[in-house]
Amino acid sequence: MPIIVNLDVMLAKRKMTLSQLSEQVDVTIANLSILKTNKAKAVRFSTLEAVCKALDCQPGDILEYVPEE
């Protein structure tokens, strides 16, 4: 998939666990894990906004486009 989710990188930079993020954004750990492991087919803007607010980052810090060869 050409869209890569760098949620794990941002969590590490902010020294935050998935559990802590889950509590702050009111999204289940299971759903965040799906996003973190690049298995998500879609992401709601409200979820992306909440994650960016909690991690103090921009959407581009979490989502990356990598063209397929």
Side-chain angles (χ1 to χ4, degrees):
M1 182 185 292
I3 301 293
I4 305 298
V5 180
N6 293 314
L7 184 56
D8 53 345
V9 174
M10 287 308 299
L11 284 169
K13 285 183 179 179
R14 300 299 188 252
K15 295 182 171 87
M16 186 182 290
T17 67
L18 202 60
S19 300
Q20 292 170 324
L21 180 62
S22 173
E23 289 175 11
Q24 286 190 22
V25 300
D26 198 29
V27 175
T28 66
I29 293 173
N31 284 338
L32 287 175
S33 181
I34 289 169
L35 184 61
K36 181 180 151 188
T37 58
N38 267 340
K39 293 180 181 172
K41 301 269 187 233
V43 61
R44 292 177 189 245
F45 280 168
S46 58
T47 301
L48 184 59
E49 178 184 357
V51 168
C52 287
K53 184 176 181 179
L55 294 175
D56 190 29
C57 67
Q58 295 294 313
D61 296 328
I62 298 171
L63 302 175
E64 178 183 0
Y65 173 73
V66 179
E68 292 185 32
E69 291 184 11

